[in-house]
Amino acid sequence: MTGQRTYGGVSAEERRAQRRAALLDAALDILGSQGIDKLTVSALCAGAGLNERYYYENFDGRDAVISALFDSLAEELAAALLAALHTAPGTTRGKAHAAITAGIGVLTDDPRKARVALLVSSASPELHTRTVHTIQAFANLVAAEGIDFYGLTEDTPDPAITFRATYLVGGLVQTLTAWLQGELPMSRDELIEHTTDVFVLLGEDLAQHYRQS
């Protein structure tokens, strides 16, 4: 019961969550501003204002820190996408434009987040696998939203839906990577508009196929 004692109205569990959040904030700053080589236990703890025992309370190594930060960014991204979808105009372009704007905004309003997202897949084989799974999870989200938007009611969804969603999300990741690295000479607004065009094209084409069948 001692571990659950409250201090100043804050429980032990809440204090631990606050320390973990502080360590992840420090990790975002180090990874996003200085690079993976600077992500050391001492640098993390100095950035978070904590001693090292709190690092080991939460993480068992650098990959665990990077994984937790990546998962946190993925959750933030998913929340932003869903919020945008649920408040967007009820048209294909309105939905696509709102979601794409929100997603790209999360990763570019704070440039450190984009750097972390790009870094993770190359940090280790395990983190690369985690990135692949996360991309597929977002593809599944896109597929589910598309099924709901177009009112597709088949008991077994057409594999073409998953294919197109995976193609769109994977393509967006590669395109955004190229843009962030300066390989696509266009503004963020232009990137959003071109990406929206592709999402609308593939979405409407699939819906037309269902309307004709």
Side-chain angles (χ1 to χ4, degrees):
M1 296 297 291
T2 303
Q4 299 302 313
R5 187 179 302 165
T6 60
Y7 295 93
V10 181
S11 70
E13 183 177 346
E14 290 170 326
R15 291 196 304 277
R16 178 170 179 169
Q18 290 170 354
R19 292 192 292 267
R20 180 182 175 85
L23 287 165
L24 291 180
D25 284 344
L28 173 62
D29 190 54
I30 294 168
L31 287 170
S33 303
Q34 303 174 52
I36 194 169
D37 291 341
K38 300 297 184 181
L39 188 68
T40 63
V41 174
S42 60
L44 266 175
C45 293
L50 298 170
N51 65 48
E52 291 188 7
R53 76 183 179 95
Y54 293 122
Y55 169 87
Y56 293 108
E57 173 188 68
N58 288 281
F59 305 109
D60 59 9
R62 186 166 67 178
D63 276 6
V65 176
I66 299 173
S67 293
L69 179 58
F70 183 69
D71 289 348
S72 175
L73 292 178
E75 290 170 5
E76 180 184 358
L77 186 58
L81 292 175
L82 290 172
L85 284 169
H86 294 161
T87 58
T91 63
T92 303
R93 187 169 193 87
K95 295 286 187 184
H97 190 273
I100 291 163
T101 300
I104 290 177
V106 167
L107 294 176
T108 59
D109 287 344
D110 183 344
R112 298 175 305 169
K113 294 179 180 178
R115 295 191 192 105
V116 169
L118 297 180
L119 169 76
V120 170
S121 65
S122 60
S124 73
E126 292 77 12
L127 288 168
H128 175 73
T129 299
R130 195 182 201 90
T131 303
V132 171
H133 289 164
T134 300
I135 290 172
Q136 190 57 56
F138 277 99
N140 292 341
L141 173 62
V142 169
E145 290 292 330
I147 288 170
D148 181 63
F149 178 77
Y150 289 115
L152 307 181
T153 58
E154 287 78 2
D155 292 336
T156 303
D158 189 335
I161 298 173
T162 301
F163 167 79
R164 293 193 184 209
T166 302
Y167 183 88
L168 287 168
V169 173
L172 176 54
V173 169
Q174 292 300 318
T175 302
L176 183 58
T177 299
W179 182 74
L180 289 166
Q181 293 174 341
E183 297 170 7
L184 287 176
M186 60 178 62
S187 68
R188 185 169 82 165
D189 287 344
E190 289 172 329
L191 176 68
I192 290 170
E193 291 301 324
H194 287 309
T195 303
T196 300
D197 289 342
V198 175
F199 271 65
V200 171
L201 178 65
L202 289 184
E204 285 296 308
D205 178 72
L206 187 63
Q208 182 68 22
H209 168 75
Y210 275 95
R211 285 193 288 266
Q212 292 175 347
S213 61

